[in-house]
Short mmCIF file of all heavy atoms in Angstrom, two decimals:
data_model
loop_
_atom_site.label_atom_id
_atom_site.label_comp_id
_atom_site.label_asym_id
_atom_site.label_seq_id
_atom_site.Cartn_x
_atom_site.Cartn_y
_atom_site.Cartn_z
N MET A 1 -60.96 14.44 16.54
CA MET A 1 -59.86 13.51 16.81
C MET A 1 -59.72 13.31 18.32
O MET A 1 -59.87 14.25 19.09
CB MET A 1 -58.56 14.07 16.22
CG MET A 1 -57.37 13.15 16.43
SD MET A 1 -55.86 13.85 15.70
CE MET A 1 -56.27 13.81 13.95
N ALA A 2 -59.43 12.10 18.70
CA ALA A 2 -59.32 11.79 20.13
C ALA A 2 -58.07 12.44 20.71
O ALA A 2 -57.07 12.64 20.03
CB ALA A 2 -59.25 10.28 20.32
N ASP A 3 -58.18 12.77 21.97
CA ASP A 3 -57.04 13.26 22.72
C ASP A 3 -56.68 12.24 23.79
O ASP A 3 -57.44 11.31 24.04
CB ASP A 3 -57.36 14.59 23.39
CG ASP A 3 -57.41 15.74 22.38
OD1 ASP A 3 -56.82 15.59 21.29
OD2 ASP A 3 -58.05 16.75 22.68
N ALA A 4 -55.54 12.44 24.37
CA ALA A 4 -55.12 11.58 25.47
C ALA A 4 -54.51 12.44 26.56
O ALA A 4 -53.91 13.48 26.28
CB ALA A 4 -54.09 10.55 24.98
N THR A 5 -54.68 11.98 27.79
CA THR A 5 -54.03 12.68 28.90
C THR A 5 -52.74 11.95 29.26
O THR A 5 -52.65 10.72 29.11
CB THR A 5 -54.94 12.75 30.14
OG1 THR A 5 -55.31 11.43 30.52
CG2 THR A 5 -56.19 13.55 29.85
N VAL A 6 -51.77 12.71 29.70
CA VAL A 6 -50.46 12.17 30.06
C VAL A 6 -50.18 12.52 31.52
O VAL A 6 -50.20 13.69 31.89
CB VAL A 6 -49.35 12.76 29.18
CG1 VAL A 6 -47.99 12.15 29.55
CG2 VAL A 6 -49.66 12.54 27.70
N GLU A 7 -49.97 11.50 32.32
CA GLU A 7 -49.67 11.72 33.74
C GLU A 7 -48.38 10.99 34.10
O GLU A 7 -48.08 9.93 33.55
CB GLU A 7 -50.79 11.16 34.61
CG GLU A 7 -52.15 11.81 34.38
CD GLU A 7 -53.25 11.03 35.08
OE1 GLU A 7 -53.72 10.03 34.52
OE2 GLU A 7 -53.62 11.43 36.20
N VAL A 8 -47.64 11.57 35.02
CA VAL A 8 -46.43 10.93 35.53
C VAL A 8 -46.54 10.81 37.05
O VAL A 8 -46.88 11.78 37.73
CB VAL A 8 -45.17 11.74 35.14
CG1 VAL A 8 -43.95 11.21 35.89
CG2 VAL A 8 -44.93 11.67 33.65
N ASN A 9 -46.27 9.62 37.54
CA ASN A 9 -46.20 9.41 38.98
C ASN A 9 -44.80 9.80 39.46
O ASN A 9 -43.84 9.05 39.30
CB ASN A 9 -46.50 7.93 39.29
CG ASN A 9 -46.51 7.67 40.79
OD1 ASN A 9 -46.05 8.49 41.58
ND2 ASN A 9 -47.05 6.52 41.17
N HIS A 10 -44.73 10.99 40.01
CA HIS A 10 -43.42 11.51 40.41
C HIS A 10 -42.85 10.78 41.62
O HIS A 10 -41.66 10.92 41.93
CB HIS A 10 -43.53 13.02 40.69
CG HIS A 10 -43.81 13.83 39.45
ND1 HIS A 10 -42.84 14.16 38.53
CD2 HIS A 10 -44.98 14.31 38.94
CE1 HIS A 10 -43.38 14.84 37.54
NE2 HIS A 10 -44.68 14.95 37.75
N ASP A 11 -43.68 10.02 42.30
CA ASP A 11 -43.18 9.24 43.44
C ASP A 11 -42.28 8.09 42.99
O ASP A 11 -41.43 7.63 43.75
CB ASP A 11 -44.34 8.68 44.26
CG ASP A 11 -45.10 9.77 45.00
OD1 ASP A 11 -44.51 10.84 45.25
OD2 ASP A 11 -46.29 9.55 45.30
N VAL A 12 -42.48 7.61 41.76
CA VAL A 12 -41.67 6.48 41.29
C VAL A 12 -40.71 6.87 40.16
O VAL A 12 -39.78 6.12 39.87
CB VAL A 12 -42.56 5.30 40.84
CG1 VAL A 12 -43.39 4.78 42.00
CG2 VAL A 12 -43.45 5.69 39.68
N CYS A 13 -40.93 8.02 39.53
CA CYS A 13 -40.04 8.47 38.44
C CYS A 13 -38.62 8.62 38.97
O CYS A 13 -38.39 9.23 40.01
CB CYS A 13 -40.53 9.81 37.90
SG CYS A 13 -39.39 10.60 36.74
N ILE A 14 -37.66 8.03 38.24
CA ILE A 14 -36.25 8.12 38.64
C ILE A 14 -35.49 9.12 37.77
O ILE A 14 -34.26 9.17 37.78
CB ILE A 14 -35.57 6.73 38.55
CG1 ILE A 14 -35.69 6.14 37.14
CG2 ILE A 14 -36.15 5.79 39.60
CD1 ILE A 14 -34.90 4.86 36.93
N VAL A 15 -36.24 9.91 37.00
CA VAL A 15 -35.69 10.98 36.15
C VAL A 15 -34.60 10.41 35.22
O VAL A 15 -33.51 10.96 35.11
CB VAL A 15 -35.17 12.17 36.97
CG1 VAL A 15 -35.01 13.41 36.08
CG2 VAL A 15 -36.10 12.50 38.13
N SER A 16 -34.92 9.29 34.60
CA SER A 16 -33.97 8.65 33.69
C SER A 16 -33.78 9.46 32.41
O SER A 16 -32.73 9.36 31.76
CB SER A 16 -34.47 7.25 33.32
OG SER A 16 -35.62 7.35 32.49
N GLY A 17 -34.79 10.22 32.04
CA GLY A 17 -34.70 11.02 30.82
C GLY A 17 -35.16 10.31 29.57
O GLY A 17 -35.17 10.91 28.49
N MET A 18 -35.52 9.05 29.70
CA MET A 18 -35.94 8.28 28.53
C MET A 18 -37.12 8.95 27.81
O MET A 18 -37.12 9.11 26.59
CB MET A 18 -36.34 6.87 28.97
CG MET A 18 -36.63 5.94 27.82
SD MET A 18 -35.13 5.23 27.18
CE MET A 18 -34.76 4.04 28.47
N CYS A 19 -38.12 9.34 28.57
CA CYS A 19 -39.31 9.91 27.94
C CYS A 19 -39.00 11.25 27.27
O CYS A 19 -39.52 11.54 26.19
CB CYS A 19 -40.42 10.07 28.97
SG CYS A 19 -39.98 11.09 30.39
N ALA A 20 -38.14 12.04 27.89
CA ALA A 20 -37.79 13.34 27.31
C ALA A 20 -37.00 13.17 26.01
O ALA A 20 -37.07 14.01 25.12
CB ALA A 20 -36.98 14.16 28.32
N SER A 21 -36.25 12.07 25.90
CA SER A 21 -35.53 11.79 24.66
C SER A 21 -36.48 11.35 23.56
O SER A 21 -36.35 11.77 22.41
CB SER A 21 -34.49 10.68 24.88
OG SER A 21 -33.50 11.11 25.78
N LEU A 22 -37.47 10.52 23.93
CA LEU A 22 -38.40 9.98 22.94
C LEU A 22 -39.46 11.00 22.54
O LEU A 22 -39.91 11.00 21.40
CB LEU A 22 -39.08 8.73 23.51
CG LEU A 22 -38.20 7.51 23.70
CD1 LEU A 22 -38.95 6.44 24.49
CD2 LEU A 22 -37.76 6.95 22.35
N ALA A 23 -39.87 11.82 23.46
CA ALA A 23 -40.97 12.75 23.21
C ALA A 23 -40.66 14.11 23.84
O ALA A 23 -41.30 14.52 24.82
CB ALA A 23 -42.27 12.17 23.77
N PRO A 24 -39.71 14.84 23.28
CA PRO A 24 -39.28 16.11 23.90
C PRO A 24 -40.34 17.20 23.88
O PRO A 24 -40.22 18.19 24.60
CB PRO A 24 -38.06 16.51 23.06
CG PRO A 24 -38.22 15.79 21.76
CD PRO A 24 -38.93 14.51 22.09
N GLU A 25 -41.37 17.04 23.05
CA GLU A 25 -42.45 18.04 23.04
C GLU A 25 -43.40 17.83 24.22
O GLU A 25 -44.19 18.71 24.55
CB GLU A 25 -43.24 17.97 21.74
CG GLU A 25 -42.44 18.38 20.52
CD GLU A 25 -43.26 18.23 19.24
OE1 GLU A 25 -44.27 18.91 19.11
OE2 GLU A 25 -42.87 17.42 18.39
N ILE A 26 -43.33 16.64 24.83
CA ILE A 26 -44.27 16.32 25.90
C ILE A 26 -43.58 16.35 27.26
O ILE A 26 -44.15 16.78 28.25
CB ILE A 26 -44.89 14.92 25.68
CG1 ILE A 26 -45.55 14.86 24.30
CG2 ILE A 26 -45.91 14.61 26.78
CD1 ILE A 26 -46.00 13.47 23.90
N PHE A 27 -42.32 15.86 27.28
CA PHE A 27 -41.62 15.73 28.56
C PHE A 27 -40.33 16.54 28.54
O PHE A 27 -39.65 16.63 27.51
CB PHE A 27 -41.24 14.25 28.81
CG PHE A 27 -42.41 13.30 28.77
CD1 PHE A 27 -42.69 12.57 27.63
CD2 PHE A 27 -43.21 13.11 29.89
CE1 PHE A 27 -43.76 11.68 27.58
CE2 PHE A 27 -44.28 12.22 29.85
CZ PHE A 27 -44.56 11.51 28.70
N ASP A 28 -39.99 17.10 29.71
CA ASP A 28 -38.75 17.86 29.81
C ASP A 28 -38.16 17.66 31.20
O ASP A 28 -38.89 17.53 32.19
CB ASP A 28 -39.01 19.35 29.57
CG ASP A 28 -37.72 20.15 29.50
OD1 ASP A 28 -36.78 19.72 28.80
OD2 ASP A 28 -37.64 21.21 30.17
N ILE A 29 -36.85 17.61 31.25
CA ILE A 29 -36.16 17.53 32.53
C ILE A 29 -35.55 18.89 32.83
O ILE A 29 -34.96 19.51 31.94
CB ILE A 29 -35.08 16.43 32.51
CG1 ILE A 29 -35.76 15.07 32.37
CG2 ILE A 29 -34.24 16.48 33.77
CD1 ILE A 29 -34.82 13.90 32.33
N ASP A 30 -35.72 19.35 34.05
CA ASP A 30 -35.23 20.69 34.38
C ASP A 30 -33.70 20.74 34.30
O ASP A 30 -33.03 19.72 34.18
CB ASP A 30 -35.75 21.15 35.74
CG ASP A 30 -35.16 20.35 36.89
OD1 ASP A 30 -34.49 19.33 36.64
OD2 ASP A 30 -35.37 20.75 38.04
N ASP A 31 -33.19 21.97 34.34
CA ASP A 31 -31.78 22.18 34.05
C ASP A 31 -30.84 21.46 35.01
O ASP A 31 -29.74 21.07 34.63
CB ASP A 31 -31.46 23.69 34.07
CG ASP A 31 -32.05 24.39 32.86
OD1 ASP A 31 -32.38 23.70 31.87
OD2 ASP A 31 -32.18 25.63 32.90
N ASP A 32 -31.26 21.26 36.25
CA ASP A 32 -30.37 20.56 37.18
C ASP A 32 -30.59 19.04 37.19
O ASP A 32 -29.96 18.33 37.97
CB ASP A 32 -30.45 21.15 38.59
CG ASP A 32 -31.84 21.01 39.21
OD1 ASP A 32 -32.68 20.29 38.62
OD2 ASP A 32 -32.07 21.61 40.27
N GLY A 33 -31.48 18.59 36.30
CA GLY A 33 -31.63 17.15 36.10
C GLY A 33 -32.33 16.41 37.21
O GLY A 33 -32.21 15.19 37.33
N THR A 34 -33.09 17.11 38.03
CA THR A 34 -33.70 16.46 39.18
C THR A 34 -35.21 16.30 39.08
O THR A 34 -35.80 15.56 39.86
CB THR A 34 -33.40 17.24 40.48
OG1 THR A 34 -33.92 18.57 40.34
CG2 THR A 34 -31.91 17.29 40.75
N THR A 35 -35.84 16.99 38.13
CA THR A 35 -37.30 16.97 38.07
C THR A 35 -37.78 16.81 36.64
O THR A 35 -37.31 17.50 35.74
CB THR A 35 -37.90 18.28 38.64
OG1 THR A 35 -37.38 18.50 39.94
CG2 THR A 35 -39.42 18.19 38.71
N LEU A 36 -38.70 15.88 36.46
CA LEU A 36 -39.33 15.72 35.15
C LEU A 36 -40.61 16.55 35.11
O LEU A 36 -41.41 16.53 36.04
CB LEU A 36 -39.70 14.26 34.91
CG LEU A 36 -40.48 14.06 33.60
CD1 LEU A 36 -39.54 14.12 32.43
CD2 LEU A 36 -41.27 12.80 33.62
N GLU A 37 -40.78 17.29 34.03
CA GLU A 37 -41.98 18.10 33.85
C GLU A 37 -42.77 17.59 32.65
O GLU A 37 -42.19 17.28 31.61
CB GLU A 37 -41.59 19.57 33.62
CG GLU A 37 -42.78 20.49 33.47
CD GLU A 37 -42.37 21.94 33.21
OE1 GLU A 37 -41.16 22.22 33.14
OE2 GLU A 37 -43.26 22.77 33.06
N VAL A 38 -44.07 17.51 32.82
CA VAL A 38 -44.95 17.18 31.69
C VAL A 38 -45.35 18.49 31.03
O VAL A 38 -46.10 19.28 31.61
CB VAL A 38 -46.19 16.39 32.15
CG1 VAL A 38 -47.08 16.07 30.96
CG2 VAL A 38 -45.78 15.11 32.86
N LEU A 39 -44.83 18.73 29.84
CA LEU A 39 -45.10 19.99 29.15
C LEU A 39 -46.51 20.03 28.60
O LEU A 39 -47.12 21.09 28.51
CB LEU A 39 -44.09 20.19 28.01
CG LEU A 39 -42.62 20.18 28.39
CD1 LEU A 39 -41.75 20.24 27.13
CD2 LEU A 39 -42.29 21.36 29.30
N GLN A 40 -47.00 18.87 28.18
CA GLN A 40 -48.34 18.81 27.59
C GLN A 40 -49.14 17.68 28.25
O GLN A 40 -49.04 16.52 27.83
CB GLN A 40 -48.25 18.56 26.08
CG GLN A 40 -47.52 19.64 25.31
CD GLN A 40 -47.75 19.53 23.82
OE1 GLN A 40 -48.87 19.56 23.34
NE2 GLN A 40 -46.67 19.40 23.07
N PRO A 41 -49.92 18.00 29.26
CA PRO A 41 -50.71 16.96 29.94
C PRO A 41 -51.88 16.44 29.11
O PRO A 41 -52.49 15.44 29.45
CB PRO A 41 -51.20 17.65 31.21
CG PRO A 41 -51.09 19.10 30.93
CD PRO A 41 -50.00 19.30 29.93
N SER A 42 -52.17 17.12 28.00
CA SER A 42 -53.20 16.64 27.07
C SER A 42 -52.61 16.71 25.67
O SER A 42 -52.12 17.76 25.26
CB SER A 42 -54.46 17.50 27.18
OG SER A 42 -55.44 17.04 26.26
N VAL A 43 -52.65 15.59 24.95
CA VAL A 43 -52.04 15.54 23.62
C VAL A 43 -53.02 14.98 22.59
O VAL A 43 -53.98 14.29 22.93
CB VAL A 43 -50.75 14.67 23.61
CG1 VAL A 43 -49.66 15.31 24.46
CG2 VAL A 43 -51.04 13.25 24.06
N GLY A 44 -52.76 15.30 21.33
CA GLY A 44 -53.57 14.78 20.24
C GLY A 44 -52.66 14.43 19.07
O GLY A 44 -51.46 14.68 19.08
N GLY A 45 -53.24 13.84 18.05
CA GLY A 45 -52.51 13.54 16.82
C GLY A 45 -51.31 12.63 17.04
O GLY A 45 -51.36 11.69 17.84
N GLU A 46 -50.22 12.95 16.35
CA GLU A 46 -49.04 12.08 16.42
C GLU A 46 -48.36 12.11 17.79
O GLU A 46 -47.59 11.21 18.13
CB GLU A 46 -48.03 12.44 15.33
CG GLU A 46 -47.43 13.82 15.46
CD GLU A 46 -46.56 14.16 14.24
OE1 GLU A 46 -46.86 13.68 13.12
OE2 GLU A 46 -45.60 14.91 14.41
N LEU A 47 -48.66 13.15 18.57
CA LEU A 47 -48.08 13.19 19.92
C LEU A 47 -48.63 12.07 20.80
O LEU A 47 -47.98 11.66 21.76
CB LEU A 47 -48.33 14.55 20.57
CG LEU A 47 -47.53 15.73 20.01
CD1 LEU A 47 -47.83 17.00 20.79
CD2 LEU A 47 -46.03 15.45 20.05
N ILE A 48 -49.82 11.57 20.47
CA ILE A 48 -50.34 10.43 21.22
C ILE A 48 -49.42 9.23 21.05
O ILE A 48 -49.10 8.54 22.03
CB ILE A 48 -51.78 10.08 20.77
CG1 ILE A 48 -52.73 11.22 21.13
CG2 ILE A 48 -52.24 8.77 21.42
CD1 ILE A 48 -54.16 11.01 20.62
N ASP A 49 -48.97 8.99 19.83
CA ASP A 49 -48.05 7.86 19.59
C ASP A 49 -46.75 8.05 20.37
O ASP A 49 -46.21 7.08 20.92
CB ASP A 49 -47.75 7.74 18.10
CG ASP A 49 -48.95 7.26 17.30
OD1 ASP A 49 -49.87 6.67 17.91
OD2 ASP A 49 -48.97 7.50 16.08
N GLN A 50 -46.26 9.28 20.40
CA GLN A 50 -45.03 9.55 21.16
C GLN A 50 -45.25 9.30 22.65
O GLN A 50 -44.39 8.74 23.33
CB GLN A 50 -44.57 10.99 20.94
CG GLN A 50 -44.03 11.26 19.55
CD GLN A 50 -43.40 12.65 19.44
OE1 GLN A 50 -42.91 13.19 20.43
NE2 GLN A 50 -43.42 13.20 18.24
N ALA A 51 -46.41 9.73 23.14
CA ALA A 51 -46.70 9.53 24.56
C ALA A 51 -46.81 8.05 24.89
O ALA A 51 -46.28 7.59 25.91
CB ALA A 51 -47.99 10.26 24.92
N VAL A 52 -47.47 7.29 24.04
CA VAL A 52 -47.62 5.86 24.27
C VAL A 52 -46.26 5.16 24.20
O VAL A 52 -45.96 4.24 24.98
CB VAL A 52 -48.61 5.25 23.25
CG1 VAL A 52 -48.60 3.73 23.31
CG2 VAL A 52 -50.01 5.78 23.50
N GLY A 53 -45.42 5.61 23.27
CA GLY A 53 -44.08 5.04 23.17
C GLY A 53 -43.26 5.31 24.43
O GLY A 53 -42.56 4.43 24.92
N ALA A 54 -43.38 6.51 24.96
CA ALA A 54 -42.67 6.83 26.19
C ALA A 54 -43.21 6.02 27.35
O ALA A 54 -42.44 5.54 28.20
CB ALA A 54 -42.80 8.33 26.48
N GLU A 55 -44.52 5.86 27.37
CA GLU A 55 -45.14 5.05 28.43
C GLU A 55 -44.57 3.63 28.41
O GLU A 55 -44.25 3.05 29.46
CB GLU A 55 -46.66 5.00 28.21
CG GLU A 55 -47.42 4.17 29.23
CD GLU A 55 -48.92 4.10 28.89
OE1 GLU A 55 -49.26 4.00 27.70
OE2 GLU A 55 -49.73 4.15 29.82
N ALA A 56 -44.41 3.08 27.22
CA ALA A 56 -43.93 1.71 27.08
C ALA A 56 -42.46 1.58 27.47
O ALA A 56 -42.03 0.51 27.93
CB ALA A 56 -44.13 1.22 25.65
N CYS A 57 -41.70 2.66 27.29
CA CYS A 57 -40.25 2.59 27.52
C CYS A 57 -39.82 3.04 28.92
O CYS A 57 -38.66 2.85 29.29
CB CYS A 57 -39.52 3.44 26.49
SG CYS A 57 -39.61 2.77 24.82
N CYS A 58 -40.73 3.63 29.66
CA CYS A 58 -40.34 4.10 31.00
C CYS A 58 -39.89 2.91 31.85
O CYS A 58 -40.64 1.95 32.01
CB CYS A 58 -41.52 4.80 31.68
SG CYS A 58 -41.15 5.29 33.38
N PRO A 59 -38.69 2.96 32.40
CA PRO A 59 -38.15 1.80 33.13
C PRO A 59 -38.88 1.49 34.44
O PRO A 59 -38.72 0.38 34.97
CB PRO A 59 -36.70 2.20 33.39
CG PRO A 59 -36.68 3.68 33.31
CD PRO A 59 -37.73 4.06 32.31
N VAL A 60 -39.64 2.44 34.95
CA VAL A 60 -40.34 2.20 36.22
C VAL A 60 -41.86 2.33 36.08
O VAL A 60 -42.58 2.45 37.08
CB VAL A 60 -39.83 3.15 37.34
CG1 VAL A 60 -38.37 2.80 37.68
CG2 VAL A 60 -39.95 4.60 36.93
N SER A 61 -42.33 2.35 34.85
CA SER A 61 -43.79 2.44 34.57
C SER A 61 -44.45 3.61 35.27
O SER A 61 -45.53 3.48 35.86
CB SER A 61 -44.49 1.12 34.96
OG SER A 61 -43.93 0.03 34.25
N ALA A 62 -43.77 4.77 35.20
CA ALA A 62 -44.30 5.95 35.89
C ALA A 62 -45.27 6.75 35.03
O ALA A 62 -45.96 7.63 35.53
CB ALA A 62 -43.14 6.85 36.31
N ILE A 63 -45.33 6.43 33.72
CA ILE A 63 -46.15 7.23 32.80
C ILE A 63 -47.46 6.51 32.55
O ILE A 63 -47.49 5.31 32.29
CB ILE A 63 -45.41 7.45 31.47
CG1 ILE A 63 -44.09 8.19 31.71
CG2 ILE A 63 -46.29 8.22 30.49
CD1 ILE A 63 -43.21 8.28 30.48
N LYS A 64 -48.53 7.28 32.61
CA LYS A 64 -49.86 6.74 32.31
C LYS A 64 -50.50 7.61 31.23
O LYS A 64 -50.71 8.81 31.42
CB LYS A 64 -50.72 6.72 33.57
CG LYS A 64 -52.10 6.14 33.35
CD LYS A 64 -52.90 6.15 34.65
CE LYS A 64 -54.31 5.64 34.46
NZ LYS A 64 -55.12 5.80 35.67
N VAL A 65 -50.81 6.98 30.10
CA VAL A 65 -51.49 7.67 29.00
C VAL A 65 -52.91 7.12 28.92
O VAL A 65 -53.11 5.91 28.83
CB VAL A 65 -50.77 7.44 27.66
CG1 VAL A 65 -51.51 8.13 26.52
CG2 VAL A 65 -49.33 7.94 27.74
N THR A 66 -53.87 8.02 28.99
CA THR A 66 -55.28 7.61 28.99
C THR A 66 -56.00 8.26 27.81
O THR A 66 -56.02 9.49 27.70
CB THR A 66 -55.95 8.04 30.31
OG1 THR A 66 -55.20 7.54 31.42
CG2 THR A 66 -57.38 7.51 30.37
N MET A 67 -56.58 7.44 26.96
CA MET A 67 -57.35 7.96 25.85
C MET A 67 -58.65 8.56 26.36
O MET A 67 -59.30 7.99 27.23
CB MET A 67 -57.65 6.85 24.83
CG MET A 67 -56.42 6.24 24.20
SD MET A 67 -55.38 7.45 23.32
CE MET A 67 -56.52 7.97 22.02
N GLN A 68 -59.01 9.73 25.79
CA GLN A 68 -60.24 10.40 26.23
C GLN A 68 -61.41 10.01 25.36
O GLN A 68 -61.26 9.69 24.22
CB GLN A 68 -60.02 11.92 26.20
CG GLN A 68 -58.91 12.35 27.12
CD GLN A 68 -59.18 11.98 28.57
OE1 GLN A 68 -60.12 12.51 29.16
NE2 GLN A 68 -58.41 11.08 29.13
S1 SF4 B 1 -38.93 7.58 31.41
FE1 SF4 B 1 -40.06 7.25 33.35
S2 SF4 B 1 -38.49 7.29 34.94
FE2 SF4 B 1 -37.57 8.18 33.10
S3 SF4 B 1 -37.91 10.41 33.33
FE3 SF4 B 1 -39.63 9.59 32.13
S4 SF4 B 1 -41.23 9.15 33.67
FE4 SF4 B 1 -39.30 9.36 34.77
#
């Protein structure tokens, strides 16, 4: 099964939390709400759909999902 890589451009991320709401297994915001962390930089299966959905919904296009 194909995998995908998930990258976030932290220079443009505004830590809106949208991706963490849509895909909490992949994205997390730290406790003080200032930093987005990519929990799974490589995903497979249904998590690919979640990653792509988050990519589409990011308000500043900071997420890049690349199929391997
Ligand atoms: S949706 Fe985009 S701007 Fe919002 S936290 Fe995720 S990467 Fe950052």
Side-chain angles (χ1 to χ4, degrees):
M1 181 180 294
D3 286 338
T5 57
V6 181
E7 299 169 278
V8 169
N9 183 346
H10 293 281
D11 291 336
V12 298
C13 171
I14 57 173
V15 198
S16 69
M18 187 83 75
C19 57
S21 295
L22 291 170
E25 294 177 63
I26 304 171
F27 304 98
D28 187 47
I29 294 180
D30 68 351
D31 289 341
D32 62 10
T34 59
T35 306
L36 175 77
E37 182 181 0
V38 180
L39 303 174
Q40 298 194 58
S42 179
V43 294
E46 64 187 31
L47 288 183
I48 294 176
D49 290 339
Q50 289 188 28
V52 170
E55 179 184 39
C57 291
C58 176
V60 293
S61 302
I63 300 172
K64 181 180 177 187
V65 178
T66 306
M67 298 302 296
Q68 299 300 294

